[in-house]
Amino acid sequence: MAMASPSCSVRILTGVWRDRSGRFSRKVRRIPHCFSSSASTASSTEVSRISRISKNAGDAGEDSALASGRDVRGLRLKKVEEMRGLGIEPYAYSWNRTHKATQLQEKYADLPAGGVADSDEDRVSVAGRIFARRAFGKLAFLGIRDDSASIQLYCDKAKLESFTQLKSTVDIGDIVGATGTLKRTEKGELSVYVDNLVILTKSILPLPEKWHGLTDIEKRYRQRYLDMIMNPEVAGVFRARAKVVSVIRRFVEDLGFLEIETPILQGAAGGADARPFITHHNSLERDLFLRIATELHLKRMLVGGFERVYELGRIFRNEGISTRHNPEFTSIEIYQAYADYNDMMALAEELVTKCAEAIFGNAKLLYQGTDISLERPWKRASMQSLVQEATGIDFSAFGSDLSAAKSAALSALSPRKDESLQTVIANCATVGNVLNEVHSYFLRLRRFVNVMMSVAQVFEAVVEKTLIQPTFVTNHPVEVSPLAKAHRSFPGLVERFELYICGRELANAFSELTDPIEQRARFEAQIRAHNKQLEEAAAAARDRGESAVKQHKNDSYEVTLDEDFLTALEYGMPPTAGMGIGIDRLVMLLTDSPSIRDVIAFPVLKSQQ
Amino acid sequence: MEELDPTQYYNNRLASLASLPTSPYSQMFRVSMTFDHYREKFKGLSNGERLAETTVSLAGRVMSKRASGSKLVFYSLESAEGTIQAVSDARSLVGGNFAAVHANIKRGDVVGVSGNPGMSNRGELSIFVKEIILLAPCLYMLPKGGKNRDEQATWRPGKPRNPNAYVLKEQETRYRLRFLDIIVNPEVKFVLETAHSAVNYIRSFLDQRGFREVETAILNSKAGGAAARPFNTHHDASEMDMSLRIAPELQLKQLLVAGYNGVYEVDKQFRNEGMDLTHNPEFTTCEFYSAYSDYHDLMTMTEELLSGLVKKITGGYTVSYHSNGYDSPPVEIDFTPPFRRIEMVNGLEDTMGIELPKDLASEEANEFLKKTCEARGVYCAPPLTTSRLLDKLVGHYLEETCVNPAFIIDHPLIMSPLAKQHRSKPGLTERFELFVNKHELVNAYTELNNPVEQRDRFVQQLKDRQGGDDEAMVLDEDFVKAMEYGLPPCAGWGMGIDRLVMLLTDSLNIKEVLLCPAMKPPEAVPPPNEKGTPQA
């Protein structure tokens, strides 16, 4: 798997690394046991010619070509004991850092090659993990990295009293603190000219020689910290993620939206049709469900009198793991009274563009080799018109003639020889369901375009280009939108849109249904349809000879009616529009990440055998 | 009176709405400004003045309706930003028969009005109605009366309040139908807003200091980082048992190993425990970790954060809190920094007039504490581990003295499996807990970052588990392995957000500050009647 492309990661670095100005508390701390040094002047003769790259065992006490990880661990544990024997604590209590690496890079940008800055004001203190180490007799160069950037430590035996001893204890991977003045080497590398160097944390396990990111993806996710240490661009992805979340929060807060924390553990999981996680509360002696959406609770707040609310948080669905699905994911849901789905389209455009600008500085991006322009306005097309473009079928002409809709859909799709799709269409209960299945079929097709090149040719020519660039697919059939308001002009459709970018659904929004009587009828229809599906699946399983118990365990979950939500609607909810945006998918798009697991720090992984 | 029967009221309302020519649920209504904006713009009008050339649209819920003769109706409209009066007279109303239009609008309905801004003769800013549209009817009678709405609407965080005086006070109904609670008890809205302001303050405090917000996993294959019973669940597709996190600590520290210098997370934790006035199975915490800092730094940060937050939200450093119930006068809690510091061991010895054994990990120390607890009448539920016995004594003798914020510091090592041993006091750790109103609000320490010692500590916890303490921490190999790659010196901090909000909003029950607290399985909650009492 390819990681972020070089051009993208460069953009991330400049977009995200540069804006950091945060500093940590700076008051004087007790400096732990350290290799002290009189800041004696360095003799210029000591900066002698580099004789050889010293990489022998005497330096580090380990030869990584020979020693396996476990052996190194033993050697390093021995070093820990040796340090303690010398009265040096290998796990320090704190370190008084004055600067991060980027702050020094910026402050001393004008220091010329070969120049030094060694006045009292130039005394600095840095800290970070050693990622590179070269020793040349009386000189040693350590590359350290903090969370802003990296900087070189210039260690000169003449200036650093503990030089010899450090040479035998310091390893790549150790976290060190250093104080000194500034110096730019002849080669132009800004360095801290060290007079005091302390091992703050002795690493016991060696960093991998090569990080097997390309071959062992599981390991990258399982040891995310190593992934970040070894691949700075991975850390960049998560910096971008933090930035996106913070930009979104600020954006909606500035518009007067109030964040509400709705419960994750619920007596019934509503607001979407998805299989929930089930848990049990011991003292209540009650099964609880993890929320599958925040919608029904946020809408209650509109009834309560809040006019603009949102929640940015975790959603849980007990479904398979894939490059697009993690059982827990982050979404933002936004509800605004006295607004409709047109307002949400404008909000979506602005929100996504703001995030892109925060990361890239402009409204263009590259995702997996495709240029995406976020220039507004974005294309708006009804689901019917998109399908008509792709298949020639005008679904609005069928009215409620289900058999005509089915035969038209089946004949249009017949060259595609997809039996399961044909079954699905044959089982559709309404014209709206048929339309929806044909539409989602084309979207699925787009994702598998490589393996289905022949069948996809027609599709590619017509639909693909319309859904790669940002596209609002609008006006869905009412049957697949149980919480959306009927369209004011088109019977059988609702005021809804889904936002697609790169063939992926990024946002889902509608003018909210506020009529409690109709809402109850929609829920009941949804439950009937769900139960019918279950029965059919169970019957099919019986035909295959599987036991009903197994079937139940694997495929069934209950869809229940949320009576409290209906009661809330009966108290009156103002006309409202709502929108949900998948944060992980947005971050994938903005960081050119092919898998959702690239943007979730601790994705769910199968248990390790 | 006919209208006092809720079922009949509901049925009558449905029937009358069904007879309307169009749906009573309006497609869309666009407001031209918010109530705040309206007040700001037109507050300068003089009594009796009316801007006939200006038309604005406002919307809100009808909280009262009063007719004066047959040609004049007054509505009090409420939105998230308070109340504005709408005045409708027969001459100004366009579209429809005056009596018929108003007959359709009942107390509780959401309506949209357009009309002219004006000031009533009595000096009340109003909108003089040209058009009034039913946007969403309320099919129930709203409870009436109770504590003065104006008084509730002017309540501010830090000031005492009294939910016992609410028009709707029955807790089951209030918490389950929280939207109704907010409609009829305006203070509740401010309580939720206070939670939001507190979280926003904390976020910006940490953002300004260079911390990054991250999201760690809620679903994990095992639950670590604290001593608590987790919620278990099952991921069907991978046929894997999982637990909901009880603390984000172990993953946040892995991110420091990864190279972050400062991280935080404000989000939910889950503990499968009983519920009481301060415990809900899901609750919100803020945890942050700061590389190269120690617990002294974090005590200073805690003082800055909390005193600054209380000042920002309440306007001063003190909050009023009904520690002894709403029937007794409130106490004043003073957040003026610096906060008092109590060394745990010395504090206990001084307060109790005893000398604790030097080696608290020893069998003798355990015997000594058992005897002491027994002699002093301090009850500790088994298993009687030294850690639990000490905790009981601290609760009884030290925490009880902490009404104003106070740090209890330097806990014995056996009580703190993730904290670093004290740099100069053997057997103790560099840890503090902040107590306010006798309850723990913050827990923080210089983090243990020596993997060899961390493994030993987990092994000790394992022994406690085998000894019957099922809340002892489990060994997390992945976490110890991450530490072997080098965790920088750091200090970590956790605070319960819900408890903080309780203090700021004079809430004696954690359910007061949660949108939807965990409840017993629902026996359908019927909407309350007009007096706010549940229906039979």
Side-chain angles (χ1 to χ4, degrees), chain A residues 55 62 64-65 67-70 72-73 76 129-132 145 171-174 203-216 219-220 223-231, chain B residues 257-258 481-482 484-486:
Chain A
K55 214 191 160 197
E62 63 194 45
S64 49
S68 75
R70 273 351 250 183
V72 173
R73 187 172 178 276
R76 292 205 181 173
R129 189 186 292 276
I130 299 175
F131 68 90
R145 190 179 286 133
D171 292 301
I172 286 179
D174 290 352
S203 67
I204 301 301
L205 285 176
L207 294 177
E209 280 289 289
K210 259 185 280 177
W211 182 235
H212 303 289
L214 294 177
T215 52
D216 192 351
K219 195 175 160 84
R220 275 187 42 216
Q223 287 178 279
R224 180 66 90 184
Y225 54 90
L226 273 186
D227 196 21
M228 290 183 177
I229 294 170
M230 302 305 291
N231 299 318
Chain B
V257 174
K481 187 169 184 186
E484 293 192 334
Y485 282 97

Side-chain angles (χ1 to χ4, degrees), chain A residues 7 33 113-114 147 160 218 269 282 384 403 435 509:
Chain A
S7 66
H33 253 305
D147 72 357
L160 186 60
E218 281 283 304
N282 297 339
Q384 282 184 349
S403 59
L435 170 61

